[in-house]
Amino acid sequence: MEIMEQLAIYCRKSQDNKDRDSTSIDEQKNQGNLKAIELNLEPVLFIEDTSSGKLDLKDRPVMMDMLQKISAKDSKIKAVFAYDTSRLYRNDETKHKFLAIIKRKDIELYFNF
């Protein structure tokens, strides 16, 4: 059986007390799964529940795992979903690295708007 193309669903609970949007991991997963259905892609969850979006990539193991899977030569990941940009990045270096990788691999990026 051929593996279906995939949607990487990245979920992260904010560790920043000043962050008013404390959307739960379950809600982020639910929104991501709805997007996977809409896009007819198999959902693949990446859950980072103890990390800050301000950290460098090297300090965010789940984000690194997702990017390595996206970068793999035989990757089935065709899109990434995150609840909003703050789940993925809160510093410019991480933002630029993340966007460079998905652009190079022609990955679509979706948010919960």
Side-chain angles (χ1 to χ4, degrees):
M1 184 173 115
E2 186 175 331
I3 296 176
M4 193 174 169
E5 291 184 338
Q6 299 172 331
L7 172 68
I9 301 170
Y10 183 79
C11 305
R12 184 181 63 77
K13 182 79 170 140
S14 177
Q15 301 298 303
D16 188 344
N17 291 335
K18 293 179 270 186
D19 184 4
R20 298 186 197 287
D21 181 10
S22 58
T23 307
S24 73
I25 294 289
D26 284 342
E27 177 61 18
Q28 293 175 59
K29 284 194 291 191
N30 290 340
Q31 294 299 321
N33 284 324
L34 289 173
K35 181 57 77 174
I37 291 167
E38 176 187 325
L39 298 172
N40 194 32
L41 296 174
E42 178 187 347
V44 179
L45 294 172
F46 294 89
I47 300 172
E48 194 144 47
D49 50 14
T50 58
S51 182
S52 169
K54 295 176 185 174
L55 294 175
D56 290 335
L57 282 176
K58 64 179 174 40
D59 298 318
R60 297 177 63 190
V62 176
M63 171 70 85
M64 288 296 297
D65 180 45
M66 180 178 75
L67 291 174
Q68 287 171 345
K69 285 182 170 61
I70 289 169
S71 297
K73 185 177 180 184
D74 61 348
S75 179
K76 297 290 184 186
I77 296 173
K78 301 302 175 195
V80 173
F81 171 87
Y83 191 79
D84 58 35
T85 58
S86 74
R87 303 301 157 183
L88 293 170
Y89 43 74
R90 286 189 174 217
N91 75 46
D92 287 340
E93 184 178 344
T94 298
K95 176 182 178 179
H96 295 305
K97 286 179 182 176
F98 174 81
L99 294 176
I101 290 168
I102 67 167
K103 182 177 181 182
R104 183 171 63 246
K105 295 294 285 185
D106 199 25
I107 301 291
E108 295 289 328
L109 182 57
Y110 296 95
F111 297 106
N112 187 51
F113 294 139

